[in-house]
Amino acid sequence: MARLNLILLAVAVACALAVVSSNHRARKLFTELEREQNRMRELEVEWGQLQLEQSTWAAHARVEKIARERLGMKVPAPGQVVTVEAAK
Amino acid sequence: MKFVKFAQSPVLSQALPAWRMRLVMWAILAAFGALIGRSLYLQGFQNDFLRQKGESRYERTIEISATRGRILDRHGDALAVSTPVKSIWAIPEDAKLTPHQARELAHLLEMDVRDLNAKLNANRDFVFVKRQLPPDVAERVVALGLPGIHEQKEYRRFYPSGDVVAHMLGFTGVEDAGQEGVELALEGQLAGKPGSRRVIKDRRGQVVEDVESIRSPQEGKDVFLALDGKVQYIAYTHLKQAIAETRAKAGGVVVLDAKSGEILALMNWPTYNPNNRTRLIGAQLRNRAFTDTFEPGSTLKPFTAALALEKGSYRFDTLVQTAPGKLSIGPATISDAHPHGMLSVAQVIQKSSNVGISKIALSLPSEDLWKMYDGLGFGSPLRLGFPGEVGGRLRPAKSWRPIEQATMSYGHGISVTLIQLARAYLAFARDGDLIPLSLTRVDTPPLNGKTVFSAQTAHEVRTMLEMVVQPGGTAPKAQIPGYRVAGKTGTAHKIDGGAYVEKYVASFVGFAPVSDPRLVVAVMIDEPAGAKYYGGDVAALVFAQVMAGALRTLGVAQDAPLKPMLVADAPAVKEEM
C-alpha cells in the first residue's frame, strides 16, 4: 500500500512539474508570437510608407519632367503610333 | 515551585457556575458562525466583484487599432495611404516644466514657447500639445523624459498625387474619418473598426497570455477607384494650361468610359493640395463637377433633336426654316447672330442654330421633353454618395411657358452639373441607353442600361455631332488626327442677380472614336476672360487634348486616316448664344 502511494506521489510530482514547464513553454511561444505579430504590423506600416514613397517618385508630373527635360523625350506624333489589335 | 497535579487543582474543586461554560461555548460557536457567514458572503455574493478586482491586478484590455483602407487607382497605384504618426499630449497638472525644459520641448515641436505654456497651463485634465508628428520627432520628445508629457499613436492620411486628384479623393479629418469626396462616399468600406482583447501582463509589462478577444479588429478595405491616374494627369495638365491661357475663373473636365460607366478622370480647377490644408479657400474646395450647376447652353441641343427623330416628326434631313434668324414667342425674341436660312436638322446641330432648335422644340409636347430630360438624369442628383451633390434645376413640364420650352432646347432656363451632362452624352456614345456611373473599378460592365433613345436615333445623332467638328461646324478645333470625333459646343451667358450678363460658360461635350465610342469627355470653362470665350475655341481645344491623350494612353485603335479633314485654324462657324 505504502509503495503504491509513493509511486502515485512521484507521478503527481512529475505531472506538476510537467504542467509548470509546459506552461512556461507556452508563455515563451506566446511572447514570440506577439513579437512576430508586432513585426508584421511594423512591416505593414513600412509597406504603406514605401508605397507612398513610390507614388511620390513615380508621380506623373515628375516622370514627365524628367522624360522631357533630361531624356529629351516627346509625345509621338499621331502618325508615329501604330495600334496593334489583339488576336481574338 | 510547588507542582500541583491537574486532578488536584484547587480550581477544579471550586464548583464553577455551569452558565460560564455555556457562555464560552456559545461565544465560540457565534464566532465560527460569523466566520462562515463572512466567507459565504465573500465567496457567494461578492464573488464577481472580488474576481474582477483580482483580475484587474494582472489583466489588461488592449485596444487593437485598425488601419484605414488605402485608395488605389484602377491600376493599383496608391492615391491615399494611412500611416502612423504620433501625437503628444499632456496632463497639465503633472506637466510642471522648468523654463529650460519648456524651451527644449517647444524647439522639438517647432512651436512658440508661449503657445506651449498656454497649453500646459490650461485648466483641463487632458490637452493635445501637438498632433500628427512624425514618429522620430515624437521619439525624441519622449526621450526628454518630461513629467506629464505623453505620446499617443494615431494615423494620418497621405495623398501622394497632391492636387492632381484632390477633389475626387477628398480628405479625412484629424481622427482619420472621411470628410470629403471618395473618403466620405466610401467611408463604410475604408474605415476600419478597432478591436480589443484581454491579456495577462507580467511585471515587466510583457503580454504573457491571451485571455480572450473581446472584439476582433476589422481592417479597412482597400478601394480600387475607376480613376485612371494617367488620364487624370492628362486632364490636370491640359485644364491647368487652358485656365492659365484664358484667365478663366474656374473649370472642370470629366472623362467617362462609355462601355462601363466608370469615371476615369475628374478634374476641377482651382484645386488644392490635400496634404497641406492650412490655407484653403472655399473656391478651391468646391468639387464643381458635382456641386456646381450651370446653364449648359447649346450642348443640350442634340437631345431635343434626338427626341424629334425619335418621335418621327423630323428626320435627319428634314429642312427647317431659320431665316430671318429671329423667332418671336410672345414678347420675347430668340435670335441667331448669323442667319442661316434653310437648314436640315443635322445642320441645325452642326451650326448650332437657336431658331432652328427652338422651332423643333416647340413642335414637341412639353410632357415628352420633360420625360426625356428626366430620363437623361437632369434635375436629380446622381447619388454616388459624394457630399453636396446636386441635381440641377428642371422645372415640371406643366409650369413651362412656350418661351421656356424653346430656350431650354438650347440650354437656358435649365441647369445641370458637368458630370450629369457627361453622363447624358453616354446615351449617344452608347446605343441610346444610359448606364449608372461608377466611382469604383467595374470588372463586369453592365450590358444594357435604361433606354432613352432607340439605337437608330443614337447613330443619327452621332453623325450630326461628327459634323460639328467638321468643316462648317462650330468646333473644328476638337478634331483629333487619327480618330473620328463627335461632340457639341456650348457657350452660355451667365446669370448674375437674375439677369444675363457679359460673362460666359464655355463648354464642350463629346466622344470618340465615333465608329465605336469608348470615351466621353466633358469640358467646362467658367468665365474665360480672354478675347476667345466660345466653347468651340476654349473648351473644344481642351477636349481634343484630353481626348487624344486618353485614347493614346488607353491604346484605343484609330478609326480615321491621319490627315486632318481641316486645318485646325480654319475659321469655325460661330455658334449662337
Side-chain angles (χ1 to χ4, degrees):
Chain A
M1 194 65 192
R3 220 158 104 201
L4 182 67
N5 278 348
L6 273 179
I7 292 170
L8 285 178
L9 178 71
V11 170
V13 168
C15 280
L17 287 177
V19 166
V20 170
S21 86
S22 67
N23 217 338
H24 181 67
R25 226 178 36 229
R27 288 194 171 182
K28 259 191 156 164
L29 285 173
F30 186 79
T31 347
E32 209 170 307
L33 176 72
E34 277 297 288
R35 210 172 29 238
E36 292 303 317
Q37 273 172 348
N38 271 335
R39 217 168 79 88
M40 184 182 82
R41 275 191 283 273
E42 271 162 31
L43 287 175
E44 240 161 60
V45 166
E46 197 186 331
W47 184 43
Q49 283 163 347
L50 287 174
Q51 261 186 329
L52 272 178
E53 201 180 322
Q54 188 211 21
S55 301
T56 312
W57 287 117
H60 296 288
R62 186 173 171 273
V63 171
E64 187 184 347
K65 198 164 178 279
I66 293 176
R68 277 186 202 283
E69 289 171 12
R70 205 183 308 161
L71 304 174
M73 295 167 93
K74 58 180 190 189
V75 176
Q80 294 172 302
V81 182
V82 180
T83 319
V84 183
E85 288 281 318
K88 278 175 189 162
Chain B
M1 190 174 260
K2 184 181 164 199
F3 290 94
V4 180
K5 282 190 175 165
F6 178 74
Q8 290 151 0
S9 162
V11 180
L12 280 180
S13 63
Q14 283 177 348
L16 289 169
W19 63 266
R20 284 184 56 164
M21 191 182 81
R22 255 177 273 144
L23 178 77
V24 171
M25 191 183 78
W26 282 115
I28 291 172
L29 271 182
F32 268 113
L35 277 180
I36 291 169
R38 176 72 182 160
S39 66
L40 266 182
Y41 172 71
L42 291 179
Q43 288 285 329
F45 303 107
Q46 288 257 323
N47 190 2
D48 287 343
F49 168 76
L50 291 172
R51 183 188 294 257
Q52 233 173 29
K53 281 282 165 197
E55 278 168 359
S56 71
R57 298 291 187 276
Y58 55 85
E59 278 191 9
R60 293 282 179 275
T61 306
I62 301 184
E63 289 290 321
I64 314 167
S65 54
T67 23
R68 191 176 173 83
R70 293 166 301 158
I71 301 180
L72 310 159
D73 88 338
R74 62 185 304 116
H75 306 298
D77 290 337
L79 297 175
V81 178
S82 285
T83 134
V85 288
K86 293 283 170 70
S87 285
I88 300 294
W89 57 277
I91 303 171
E93 208 169 301
D94 299 348
K96 301 281 173 248
L97 307 184
T98 63
H100 173 71
Q101 283 176 324
R103 262 201 310 280
E104 212 171 359
L105 182 61
H107 175 71
L108 267 180
L109 297 176
E110 290 170 2
M111 282 173 83
D112 197 66
V113 184
R114 266 165 298 167
D115 291 348
L116 178 70
N117 282 330
K119 280 193 171 174
L120 293 181
N121 291 326
N123 192 17
R124 279 188 294 171
D125 296 334
F126 177 96
V127 62
F128 274 116
V129 181
K130 188 148 189 183
R131 300 193 76 168
Q132 307 205 328
L133 283 168
D136 53 316
V137 176
E139 241 166 65
R140 268 184 284 160
V141 170
V142 173
L144 291 179
L146 301 178
I149 305 284
H150 307 270
E151 64 162 13
Q152 177 187 320
K153 188 171 153 190
E154 280 185 338
Y155 285 93
R156 196 192 146 164
R157 204 98 168 126
F158 286 94
Y159 302 92
S161 48
D163 59 352
V164 179
V165 209
H167 291 104
M168 188 71 176
L169 295 176
F171 50 80
T172 60
V174 78
E175 306 287 351
D176 217 23
Q179 287 191 328
E180 279 282 353
V182 166
E183 295 274 23
L184 182 59
L186 302 178
E187 172 76 11
Q189 287 175 59
L190 288 167
K193 281 203 197 90
S196 58
R197 59 183 192 142
R198 213 165 25 230
V199 296
I200 293 179
K201 277 192 176 178
D202 69 2
R203 194 171 50 83
R204 283 173 297 176
Q206 274 181 333
V207 176
V208 290
E209 203 175 313
D210 219 356
V211 180
E212 65 170 330
S213 156
I214 301 165
R215 247 175 313 125
S216 53
Q218 275 180 355
E219 295 286 331
K221 288 189 190 70
D222 289 353
V223 169
F224 282 89
L225 288 190
L227 195 97
D228 186 311
K230 283 186 195 156
V231 177
Q232 176 77 18
Y233 180 68
I234 291 166
Y236 169 83
T237 41
H238 293 301
L239 181 63
K240 188 179 174 182
Q241 191 189 348
I243 297 279
E245 278 170 10
T246 60
R247 301 197 308 282
K249 202 178 98 186
V253 175
V254 170
V255 182
L256 301 180
D257 187 317
K259 303 286 181 208
S260 60
E262 293 168 296
I263 301 173
L264 293 181
L266 183 141
M267 189 63 218
N268 294 291
W269 196 271
T271 179
Y272 61 95
N273 183 355
N275 296 310
N276 180 11
R277 303 195 300 273
T278 43
R279 248 175 260 167
L280 273 192
I281 52 167
Q284 286 174 295
L285 273 178
R286 295 193 79 86
N287 187 356
R288 284 157 208 280
F290 275 98
T291 61
D292 282 16
T293 60
F294 62 102
E295 296 206 335
S298 307
T299 41
L300 277 202
K301 281 177 184 160
F303 298 109
T304 304
L307 187 65
L309 296 178
E310 190 82 3
K311 292 284 164 200
S313 51
Y314 284 84
R315 279 178 324 202
F316 185 78
D317 50 3
T318 305
L319 291 178
V320 184
Q321 177 59 272
T322 67
K326 277 192 186 357
L327 176 67
S328 291
I329 306 168
T333 305
I334 291 168
S335 61
D336 285 341
H338 317 276
H340 296 294
M342 289 293 262
L343 292 177
S344 71
V345 174
Q347 283 172 314
V348 166
I349 298 300
Q350 183 189 25
K351 302 196 183 302
S352 201
S353 160
N354 289 345
V355 174
I357 203 71
S358 297
K359 281 189 170 172
I360 298 173
L362 289 171
S363 77
L364 296 164
S366 57
E367 198 62 42
D368 288 349
L369 277 165
W370 184 88
K371 250 188 229 159
M372 174 193 65
Y373 287 135
D374 182 58
L376 289 166
F378 296 144
S380 45
L382 285 169
R383 296 206 175 79
L384 287 172
F386 260 80
E389 206 179 290
V390 293
R393 191 176 62 135
L394 174 66
R395 304 211 338 261
K398 284 199 190 76
S399 68
W400 292 1
R401 288 174 292 141
I403 177 70
E404 287 168 333
Q405 185 166 338
T407 59
M408 278 171 70
S409 71
Y410 59 89
H412 284 85
I414 180 172
S415 67
V416 301
T417 59
L418 190 62
I419 191 102
Q420 278 180 326
L421 194 58
R423 175 168 180 256
Y425 267 74
L426 276 181
F428 300 138
R430 297 171 64 83
D431 287 342
D433 63 326
L434 269 186
I435 49 173
L437 297 188
S438 177
L439 291 175
T440 47
R441 195 169 70 185
V442 174
D443 293 322
T444 45
L447 285 178
N448 284 304
K450 191 181 59 165
T451 306
V452 186
F453 303 116
S454 69
Q456 203 205 332
T457 303
H459 283 275
E460 284 180 2
V461 176
R462 257 187 240 171
T463 314
M464 293 181 191
L465 293 178
E466 200 178 357
M467 288 165 63
V468 171
V469 303
Q470 283 169 0
T474 54
K477 285 191 176 161
Q479 284 176 19
I480 301 168
Y483 292 100
R484 287 172 61 198
V485 176
K488 182 74 192 81
T489 55
T491 313
H493 281 280
K494 281 184 81 168
I495 304 177
D496 196 4
Y500 286 102
V501 292
E502 291 294 309
K503 288 178 183 169
Y504 306 91
V505 176
S507 55
F508 192 94
V509 191
F511 47 87
V514 177
S515 57
D516 181 20
R518 173 75 199 276
L519 294 176
V520 174
V521 175
V523 179
M524 185 270 287
I525 308 284
D526 191 7
E527 290 185 27
K532 291 176 171 179
Y533 53 81
Y534 279 96
D537 281 324
V538 184
L541 200 61
V542 179
F543 166 85
Q545 291 166 332
V546 172
M547 184 64 102
L551 289 171
R552 195 187 63 240
T553 303
L554 299 176
V556 177
Q558 300 186 344
D559 68 340
L562 272 174
K563 227 171 88 191
M565 283 157 280
L566 179 82
V567 215
D569 41 48
V573 175
K574 285 292 171 230
E575 104 189 85
E576 308 302 342
M577 283 183 283

